[in-house]
Amino acid sequence: MSKDNSANILQEIISHAKEYGFVFPSSEIYDGLGAVYDYGQYGVELKKNIQDYWWRSMVQLHENIVGLDAAIFMHPKTWKASGHVDAFNDPLVDNKDSKKRYRADVLIEEAIVKMEDKITKEVDKAAKKFGETFDKAMFLQTNPNVLRNKEKITATEARFKAALEANDMAELRQIIIDLEIVCPISGTRNWTDVRQFNLMFSTQVGAVADESETIYLRPETAQGIFVNFLNVLNTSRQRIPFGIAQVGKAFRNEVVARQFIFRTREFEQMEMQFFVRPGTEMEWYNKWKETRMAWHKSLGFEESGLKFKDHVKVAHYANAAVDIEFNFPFGYKEIEGIHSRTDFDLTQHQNLSGKKLQYFDPELNESYVPYVIETSIGLNRTILAVLSNSYQNEKLEDGTERVVLKFPPFLAPIKAAILPLVKKDGLPEKAREIMDELKYDHLCFYDEKDSIGKRYRRQDAIGTPFCITVDHDTLTDNKVTIRDRDTMTQERVAISELRRIVGEKVDWRKAGR
RNA sequence: GCGGGAGUAGCUCAGCUGGUAGAGCGACAGCCUUCCAAGCUGUAGGUCGCGGGUUCGAACCUCGUCUCCCGCUCCA
């Protein structure tokens, strides 16, 4: 697929999502707010259905997983403990010629490594020259080249450290210039100013500014689970291994937030932290890897549209990490991450809070800080995946086209449309009767406007799996036709059977089958 | 932030060498219709992203500005 074509498909999906009430750009009447989106009448249903399905799959189907809904605001120390305060304050700098962006601290660190390499080379050279008589310790202490480089490293590190601690961006830039660091792409030293990038949004707690305290909007939901570990452990009668699941908003000041609802500054995560005995973490890591992949397949995603991608470089809190990637219109991108977080978070919280965050294991007769396997999926990304997987512009045999969203029935916003064939002869009244009965089980849609074909296509466009049509025969035989969205075929069934038939077809147990 | 593209009706877009806005689809109301968007009638909806300049006159030329989309580093 060409890049143009795939870009067009994303554009089509964005237009369709807006036109049919799935996703609207935020604050559109004020020219919009970049990379923020609102979910419309059908979007909110789709979102809720995906969320419910995840919750049921994780909490309802696993006796050893319980739910939690922790607040977005958390004690500031939380983020000190988690490492977010220190690890996600990246100074960024651009090379004006190559247009490439770098982390200023990484550039400087790399430069320091280069200096160290120089020393190593000098030592190797000398070792060759002097052979067996070579005294490495002596050489390191006396060789002028080595000493000069050593001095440079020490000086640079001191400057670097001081600049980082003082948050002095101008000084960081000056270090880059003084070290004569060049862009590996363009080879030039044409650098922009260094700018601080803060991952976390901060805000003030307290109505009076003077008395207020800066707190953060959580950048991940996980920490709410960790700080409640003891509370849940003490009240849920769960024993290790067990998990805590949570769905909620998280906020990150992304450098660039793009690609529709794929990467936004405000987003929703569906996370589960699974606490295990140390030493068994890889076993559970692999189990959750497979379990989560199977879940994605159950959404009707093509097997070829999903793949694992191991992290080469893992985050500061993890010892293993893998992404589940989905083939979006713009390529394979991460939709879920599975991390082995070790005992990093609980240990950190234990240290900072002074509370013992441990589990007494009766089998081992000892206490330990549990290890954690995290599954973390982006709800908004899943919505986009479901949308792009479902969106189809079909060419029909009769030469016409139709746009249809082939959602798995259990995810569809509207489960059934109730349509009187014509708007007279008592058909609307009969259709209303059916509507009033079915609406207690499912979200249904009543429509009597325009030709029946037009109404079918309207429902196709929002992914309604079933259209129930009341015709003249219905008045005497109490039967209706039920039209299948995907095959467009119809079946005549008794009204009394509708609840059962629709109920079975939209049952989430059907997922993946 | 840098580079590229684009802003005209809800959506997709047209609008000539500048002469103060149009289509299709959609929406709404009604008519007609016994099953797959294309029958008929009517209605609503736009200070052409915003501001300045040139001009008798700007959607169109010019300058500035804003917003959105795509790419780059970060991540669910």
Side-chain angles (χ1 to χ4, degrees):
Chain A
M1 190 180 284
S2 76
K3 217 160 199 175
D4 277 356
N5 196 12
S6 56
N8 287 342
I9 286 171
L10 182 63
Q11 285 312 313
E12 278 180 38
I13 291 169
I14 293 170
S15 295
H16 190 86
K18 186 189 169 194
E19 190 169 1
Y20 288 92
F22 284 89
V23 182
F24 304 130
S26 163
S27 318
E28 203 185 4
I29 61 168
Y30 292 110
D31 271 344
L33 182 61
V36 183
Y37 293 92
D38 300 335
Y39 290 84
Q41 67 274 21
Y42 299 131
V44 67
E45 296 293 338
L46 176 62
K47 184 178 173 202
K48 186 170 68 66
N49 291 341
I50 292 172
Q51 186 182 321
D52 283 351
Y53 177 55
W54 182 85
W55 190 265
R56 287 173 168 167
S57 304
M58 300 300 274
V59 177
Q60 191 172 329
L61 296 188
H62 292 93
E63 292 175 32
N64 61 352
I65 297 178
V66 298
L68 179 76
D69 184 19
I72 288 170
F73 294 155
M74 299 185 72
H75 193 285
K77 273 192 179 173
T78 307
W79 308 112
K80 190 74 191 160
S82 69
H84 284 85
V85 173
D86 298 321
F88 289 103
N89 280 321
D90 301 335
L92 299 175
V93 64
D94 294 347
N95 182 273
K96 289 179 187 169
D97 299 309
S98 65
K99 312 299 178 198
K100 286 285 172 187
R101 165 167 295 175
Y102 300 91
R103 277 176 53 174
D105 55 331
V106 171
L107 283 179
I108 295 170
E109 276 164 11
E110 284 171 356
I112 292 172
V113 169
K114 269 188 195 163
M115 296 178 214
E116 283 165 352
D117 286 349
K118 268 188 188 167
I119 295 177
T120 315
K121 270 185 198 157
E122 201 76 38
V123 169
D124 288 349
K125 219 165 73 185
K128 237 180 228 171
K129 193 169 158 194
F130 295 110
E132 298 207 343
T133 60
F134 180 61
D135 182 343
K136 190 176 169 187
M138 178 66 90
F139 182 80
L140 286 175
Q141 279 173 27
T142 54
N143 180 282
N145 282 336
V146 170
L147 287 178
R148 203 174 53 242
N149 271 309
K150 264 183 160 178
E151 204 174 298
K152 198 173 168 190
I153 290 171
T154 313
T156 306
E157 278 177 340
R159 265 184 88 185
F160 181 41
K161 199 172 162 225
L164 280 185
E165 277 169 5
N167 264 334
D168 189 342
M169 297 299 121
E171 169 70 356
L172 280 180
R173 179 165 191 267
Q174 199 54 49
I175 295 173
I176 290 172
I177 289 167
D178 291 349
L179 293 180
E180 301 183 341
I181 294 173
V182 298
C183 167
I185 307 284
S186 67
T188 69
R189 296 180 216 156
N190 194 4
W191 298 106
T192 63
D193 286 343
V194 176
R195 289 177 316 275
Q196 180 80 27
F197 164 62
N198 293 309
L199 173 97
M200 289 193 288
F201 286 91
S202 61
T203 188
Q204 308 301 120
V205 166
V208 184
D210 290 348
E211 296 167 5
S212 67
E213 182 184 13
T214 297
I215 61 166
Y216 298 104
L217 304 183
R218 66 181 177 203
E220 64 174 14
T221 55
Q223 299 305 326
I225 294 177
F226 295 134
V227 300
N228 278 294
F229 170 72
L230 275 188
N231 287 333
V232 175
L233 182 65
N234 291 336
T235 56
S236 65
R237 299 180 55 231
Q238 291 288 346
R239 298 152 63 111
I240 277 180
F242 79 98
I244 303 176
Q246 168 161 232
V247 179
K249 295 233 170 170
F251 305 84
R252 290 183 195 174
N253 229 336
E254 302 291 346
V255 180
V256 285
R258 290 268 168 81
Q259 274 149 342
F260 195 36
I261 54 174
F262 180 80
R263 183 182 289 118
T264 51
R265 296 193 170 93
E266 172 180 344
F267 61 104
E268 208 141 351
Q269 292 181 308
M270 303 189 288
E271 288 196 330
M272 193 277 295
Q273 307 293 333
F274 200 73
F275 301 91
V276 305
R277 183 186 289 172
T280 64
E281 68 268 20
M282 286 319 289
E283 184 188 313
W284 285 106
Y285 174 74
N286 287 321
K287 180 191 177 288
W288 281 112
K289 231 178 109 169
E290 298 311 320
T291 305
R292 293 306 306 151
M293 182 56 106
W295 188 87
H296 286 277
K297 287 177 185 164
S298 76
L299 293 177
F301 296 159
E302 294 293 319
E303 191 139 355
S304 61
L306 290 165
K307 66 181 185 190
F308 286 117
K309 188 177 176 200
D310 284 310
H311 282 212
V312 185
K313 202 179 97 195
V314 297
H316 64 278
Y317 50 75
N319 69 355
V322 65
D323 291 339
I324 294 176
E325 294 194 331
F326 175 79
N327 191 11
F328 287 97
F330 38 86
Y332 281 94
K333 297 279 182 185
E334 176 181 11
I335 188 167
E336 172 155 6
I338 295 142
H339 291 240
S340 174
R341 293 184 78 130
T342 69
D343 58 353
F344 175 86
D345 298 278
L346 289 179
T347 302
Q348 285 287 101
H349 286 303
Q350 179 169 275
N351 292 341
L352 258 84
S353 68
K355 303 285 189 305
K356 197 173 163 190
L357 300 183
Q358 300 189 3
Y359 172 79
F360 177 75
D361 192 324
E363 279 178 44
L364 300 177
N365 199 30
E366 65 177 51
S367 291
Y368 52 76
V369 177
Y371 270 50
V372 173
I373 305 300
E374 166 188 275
T375 72
S376 177
I377 170 171
L379 175 52
N380 316 80
R381 289 182 177 185
T382 310
I383 293 169
L384 182 55
V386 170
L387 270 177
S388 50
N389 193 60
S390 304
Y391 180 88
Q392 294 190 20
N393 199 335
E394 283 189 344
K395 305 258 182 290
L396 301 176
E397 285 175 8
D398 63 3
T400 60
E401 292 181 19
R402 70 163 182 163
V403 173
V404 54
L405 295 179
K406 293 191 169 177
F407 294 134
F410 69 100
L411 292 182
I414 306 286
K415 304 301 188 200
I418 320 294
L419 316 168
L421 187 57
V422 292
K423 198 171 58 176
K424 60 177 187 184
D425 304 336
L427 267 45
E429 290 77 4
K430 191 69 183 170
R432 280 286 180 197
E433 275 178 35
I434 296 170
M435 176 76 185
D436 286 339
E437 183 57 32
L438 265 189
K439 72 184 179 189
Y440 287 96
D441 294 304
H442 310 289
L443 187 57
C444 297
F445 193 91
Y446 177 84
D447 193 2
E448 60 182 25
K449 172 87 180 145
D450 294 319
S451 74
I452 190 71
K454 215 169 214 176
R455 281 177 278 165
Y456 286 151
R457 298 300 171 87
R458 270 207 284 265
Q459 294 304 317
D460 289 341
I462 60 169
T464 305
F466 306 108
C467 288
I468 294 162
T469 306
V470 172
D471 57 31
H472 290 89
D473 293 338
T474 305
L475 301 177
T476 51
D477 67 2
N478 270 312
K479 288 184 173 176
V480 291
T481 58
I482 181 163
R483 168 195 182 263
D484 183 90
R485 175 196 65 202
D486 300 337
T487 62
M488 300 200 295
T489 54
Q490 286 173 291
E491 197 186 333
R492 195 161 183 87
V493 303
I495 292 173
S496 57
E497 288 289 288
L498 276 178
R499 274 189 74 185
R500 183 184 61 77
I501 292 170
V502 176
E504 280 175 5
K505 286 184 173 171
V506 304
D507 192 336
W508 63 285
R509 267 178 279 209
K510 294 253 178 189
R513 287 175 214 160

